Amino acid sequence: SEEEAIGGFLARLETGGNDDVVPPPPPSAIHSTGLNALTAAADQVLADYVRDSTQFDGLALSPARRKWKRRKYSANQGDQVAAKVTRSEENGSWILAYVLRYYPESETYDVQDEDDTSKLIRLPWNHVMRLSTGSEGWLNKSQQVMAIFPETTSFYRAFISKQPVWTSGTAADESAGGVGNAHKPRVKEVILKFEDDENEEGKTPHRRVPSRYVIPLPQAYFYDVESDIDLNAP
């Protein structure tokens, strides 16, 4: 009608004649936008507070704290372990042994050779390594390890040549790590290749070793304690 046309013309004049002007948002949209902005601001304030109030000096653990950790994770009496019985780093210097006693004050072990039960050997803490439970996450293809060479009681350097197969766990009496590890996913055996194990054809064969007797290299097992840091706020 004529009246509607005139009304529309006047409305366009008020907006500068632009037909593409977006109408203002409803009050509910303005309210929602305001809440989102307030929430974002509150989150930022909280993040700033947490960052500013967190105390972390990045200091290495004290000698006493490191000693406490070594005592906590030390092998127990009767445990079968890998023991380094020579001063050299030659292949085969780690052997299978049993722990007779651990002395927390001096951080030393009395161990017994698996093959010679008449021999008592006293070793420092970093010459004794606990055996695997088969549930460690580092058991992967190409990983450098030490392992018992078949039909011996000595550990030799090797690498995992095939990706280990994980199972859903075993009965408690079969678990290498005790009842607590009975139903954890674990690897039962590891296929690997040993150093200096070439056959007559110059090829290195794959060998199967129970996961219990596959352990990290010493430098991976005994990480640099000087770089160990205390993550607890003072």
Side-chain angles (χ1 to χ4, degrees), residues 134-135 139-141 160 162-169 185-191 208 211:
S135 60
L139 289 169
N140 292 302
K141 184 179 179 180
I160 299 176
K162 293 188 178 182
Q163 184 62 31
V165 177
W166 292 80
T167 62
S168 58
R186 61 188 294 263
V187 174
K188 290 186 177 181
E189 68 175 9
V190 181
I191 300 176
R208 296 176 182 269
S211 62

Side-chain angles (χ1 to χ4, degrees), residues 86-97:
T86 68
R87 293 185 178 183
S88 69
E89 299 298 330
E90 63 180 309
N91 217 359
S93 60
W94 291 78
I95 66 169
L96 201 58

Side-chain angles (χ1 to χ4, degrees), residues 84-123:
K84 186 174 183 292
V85 293
T86 68
R87 293 185 178 183
S88 69
E89 299 298 330
E90 63 180 309
N91 217 359
S93 60
W94 291 78
I95 66 169
L96 201 58
Y98 281 97
V99 173
L100 297 180
R101 186 173 179 181
Y102 175 66
Y103 301 90
E105 294 305 318
S106 60
E107 296 188 286
T108 56
Y109 288 92
D110 281 344
V111 302
Q112 192 173 60
D113 188 336
E114 178 90 359
D115 288 336
D116 187 359
T117 56
S118 65
K119 186 183 296 184
L120 180 68
I121 310 170
R122 180 158 295 182
L123 298 171

Side-chain angles (χ1 to χ4, degrees), residues 17-218:
N18 188 354
D19 292 334
D20 298 328
V21 172
V22 179
S28 59
I30 297 176
H31 179 69
S32 176
T33 302
L35 285 179
N36 291 338
L38 287 174
T39 300
D43 290 342
Q44 185 61 48
V45 169
L46 179 60
D48 291 342
Y49 171 78
V50 171
R51 182 173 56 252
D52 295 340
S53 61
T54 298
Q55 299 183 35
F56 176 64
D57 54 18
L59 295 177
L61 292 177
S62 66
R65 180 70 174 175
R66 290 199 297 268
K67 188 174 182 178
W68 174 85
K69 287 184 67 176
R70 290 196 291 269
R71 178 178 181 179
K72 179 180 179 181
Y73 296 109
S74 63
N76 298 316
Q77 182 177 357
D79 283 356
Q80 198 176 31
V81 296
K84 186 174 183 292
V85 293
T86 68
R87 293 185 178 183
S88 69
E89 299 298 330
E90 63 180 309
N91 217 359
S93 60
W94 291 78
I95 66 169
L96 201 58
Y98 281 97
V99 173
L100 297 180
R101 186 173 179 181
Y102 175 66
Y103 301 90
E105 294 305 318
S106 60
E107 296 188 286
T108 56
Y109 288 92
D110 281 344
V111 302
Q112 192 173 60
D113 188 336
E114 178 90 359
D115 288 336
D116 187 359
T117 56
S118 65
K119 186 183 296 184
L120 180 68
I121 310 170
R122 180 158 295 182
L123 298 171
W125 65 271
N126 57 356
H127 281 213
V128 174
M129 296 170 60
R130 301 177 70 174
L131 300 184
S132 171
T133 64
S135 60
E136 291 85 359
W138 53 263
L139 289 169
N140 292 302
K141 184 179 179 180
S142 301
Q143 180 69 43
Q144 299 288 328
V145 298
M146 291 197 309
I148 288 284
F149 192 84
E151 299 182 4
T152 76
T153 57
S154 295
F155 290 84
Y156 293 88
R157 290 186 292 271
F159 71 92
I160 299 176
S161 54
K162 293 188 178 182
Q163 184 62 31
V165 177
W166 292 80
T167 62
S168 58
T170 64
D173 58 350
E174 297 177 354
S175 175
V179 176
N181 291 312
H183 302 293
K184 290 182 178 180
R186 61 188 294 263
V187 174
K188 290 186 177 181
E189 68 175 9
V190 181
I191 300 176
L192 32 73
K193 291 185 176 182
F194 286 90
E195 287 186 7
D196 305 321
D197 187 30
E198 293 86 1
N199 55 25
E200 296 178 353
E201 299 176 353
K203 297 181 179 180
T204 303
H206 297 279
R207 297 190 184 272
R208 296 176 182 269
V209 177
S211 62
R212 175 172 174 77
Y213 301 117
V214 179
I215 58 178
L217 295 177

Side-chain angles (χ1 to χ4, degrees), residues 7-23:
F9 176 73
L10 293 176
R12 286 195 296 275
L13 287 177
E14 291 177 356
T15 59
N18 188 354
D19 292 334
D20 298 328
V21 172
V22 179

